Amino acid sequence: MRIGNIDLGRYPILLAPMEDVTDISFRLMCKEFGADMVYTEFVSSDALVRNVSKTQAKLSIRDEERPVAIQIYGKDVAAMADAARICEEARPDILDINFGCPVKKVAGKGAGAGMLRDVPKMLEITRAVVDAVKIPVTVKTRLGWDHNSQIIVDLAEQLQDCGIAALAIHGRTRSQMYTGEADWTLIGKVKENPRMHIPIIGNGDVTTPEIAREKFEKYGVDAIMVGRASIGSPWIFREMKQYIERGSYDPLSVSDKMSVLRRQLRESVARLDERRGILHIRRHLAATPLFKGIPNFREVRIAMLRAETLDDLFGILDKIEYEILINR
């Protein structure tokens, strides 16, 4: 699959953009485990043009993580175009437009998935962003606003006509948020549409190596995007790549996986500070499948999520690793 001049290979697996998750250290780690392209946390166009320092920091990228996309969102045409030009100066490989975020503070204000209720403005923004930069522009969106307005098949053609280089589709409506099962049938219909010639990237509930392979085979998508399943489990890209290539995979050992989590902790603390670094990484620790099935784990989990120092947290992780190993 190619996006512009970027060759992502035959079965690309992409790290989805996720707020408070896809910081630079996590992107680099996912890249090491086989992610073919990574995305930044989404960037507010309004905050970017106002030169908000916290937002500006999200534009920091490294050559080791390439190809990398910066994702922007907003509802003002001029601000989105200005933000696109600012992002281009950070030298990403791709600029992505977020028309899919369902959270109230974004979609409720008309940005993200909120644009699914104002398609003419969505298309105006898309054209403005495409015209504003020289790098490839892509879009990530959903099936529609709700069950009664699943407009993605027609919308995909309209977005393509605006000049985008690829389209990522999450198989849920905005009203579903992240509940229920992702419906890939409409993603497949977009891909089957003979008028579509840009790559189609499928997203939603790609949680195991087996499911990853099935999505490629059943729906014919050009790439898949992995989001929540990577939180606390960046090694999932390695497993998926191996399974797609040969029908099996070599899982990391428990000790290796624990080493990955410890590395995430160290890098988070080094990038922020001890307090904020631990707070940031708690989401990964809470989500990791590594701790599932451990008997009587509730109290240990609470202690882990309440730990305030790196030494205390490492001590708890050491005990968890020991418990996992002796109960195997």
Side-chain angles (χ1 to χ4, degrees):
M1 182 188 87
R2 300 180 72 90
I3 298 179
N5 294 322
I6 302 165
D7 188 350
L8 296 173
R10 188 175 180 187
Y11 296 111
I13 305 176
L14 317 182
L15 171 64
M18 292 177 283
E19 182 67 3
D20 293 327
V21 174
T22 54
D23 57 78
I24 194 164
S25 60
F26 186 66
R27 299 196 304 267
L28 285 166
M29 188 169 289
C30 291
K31 185 72 176 179
E32 290 175 21
F33 279 111
D36 293 289
M37 187 164 78
V38 298
Y39 291 68
T40 65
E41 302 170 79
F42 57 72
V43 176
S44 164
S45 59
D46 291 339
L48 201 56
V49 297
R50 295 200 314 269
N51 200 28
V52 175
S53 58
K54 186 177 180 180
T55 303
Q56 289 279 351
K58 292 182 179 181
L59 303 186
S60 176
I61 58 178
R62 296 183 192 170
D63 286 340
E64 307 98 282
E65 61 179 311
R66 294 186 186 279
V68 57
I70 291 177
Q71 188 187 70
I72 60 173
Y73 75 95
K75 63 179 182 179
D76 181 80
V77 178
M80 285 289 282
D82 288 343
R85 285 186 279 265
I86 294 170
C87 288
E88 189 174 35
E89 293 177 1
R91 297 180 56 248
D93 299 283
I94 288 168
L95 183 67
D96 189 67
I97 307 174
N98 180 327
F99 290 142
C101 180
V103 299
K104 187 174 181 179
K105 69 178 182 179
V106 175
K109 296 180 180 179
M115 280 290 164
L116 289 163
R117 294 200 289 185
D118 191 350
V119 171
K121 191 171 186 181
M122 176 193 287
L123 301 177
E124 185 182 3
I125 286 174
T126 305
R127 285 190 292 267
V129 170
V130 169
D131 291 342
V133 298
K134 295 178 181 178
I135 58 175
V137 174
T138 59
V139 163
K140 185 171 189 284
T141 190
R142 291 185 167 229
L143 303 179
W145 178 259
D146 56 28
H147 180 74
N148 296 317
S149 59
Q150 297 187 53
I151 60 174
I152 190 59
V153 176
D154 291 334
L155 177 61
E157 284 191 53
Q158 294 174 293
L159 289 167
Q160 178 178 259
D161 290 343
C162 292
I164 64 171
L167 175 64
I169 305 168
H170 183 112
R172 289 182 173 88
T173 63
R174 187 274 170 180
S175 296
Q176 284 181 273
M177 301 292 286
Y178 296 103
T179 62
E181 294 184 6
D183 180 1
W184 280 64
T185 56
L186 287 179
I187 299 176
K189 286 184 179 180
V190 173
K191 180 58 190 172
E192 293 168 3
N193 184 347
R195 292 183 292 274
M196 294 299 297
H197 56 78
I198 60 174
I200 301 301
I201 303 161
N203 175 225
D205 295 348
V206 183
T207 56
T208 68
E210 294 81 4
I211 290 173
R213 183 170 176 174
E214 182 245 357
K215 298 305 185 188
F216 277 114
E217 293 176 347
K218 186 173 182 179
Y219 299 100
V221 290
D222 299 285
I224 58 174
M225 184 176 281
V226 178
R228 288 176 293 166
S230 69
I231 304 175
S233 185
W235 52 80
I236 198 169
F237 293 97
R238 177 180 183 265
E239 296 175 351
M240 288 180 173
K241 298 289 283 189
Q242 289 181 348
Y243 193 84
I244 289 169
E245 290 170 2
R246 66 182 197 224
S248 63
Y249 63 92
D250 304 317
L252 291 181
S253 68
V254 169
S255 293
D256 286 341
K257 289 179 179 178
M258 293 297 293
S259 293
V260 170
L261 295 181
R262 291 187 186 96
R263 176 184 162 190
Q264 284 189 259
L265 267 168
R266 286 193 297 269
E267 291 183 358
S268 181
V269 167
R271 185 173 61 89
L272 300 169
D273 55 45
E274 188 168 50
R275 184 185 68 82
R276 291 185 300 157
I278 289 173
L279 286 173
H280 175 73
I281 218 67
R282 280 178 181 172
R283 183 172 181 181
H284 294 264
L285 295 176
T288 182
L290 185 56
F291 302 154
K292 289 182 179 178
I294 300 177
N296 305 312
F297 187 65
R298 184 174 181 272
E299 289 186 7
V300 177
R301 184 178 186 274
I302 291 172
M304 178 180 66
L305 298 179
R306 286 179 175 173
E308 296 182 350
T309 70
L310 204 53
D311 287 343
D312 287 346
L313 200 42
F314 279 163
I316 294 170
L317 292 178
D318 289 344
K319 291 179 182 177
I320 293 173
E321 181 176 355
Y322 176 76
E323 289 293 325
I324 294 174
L325 292 174
I326 66 171
N327 286 296
R328 291 182 67 179

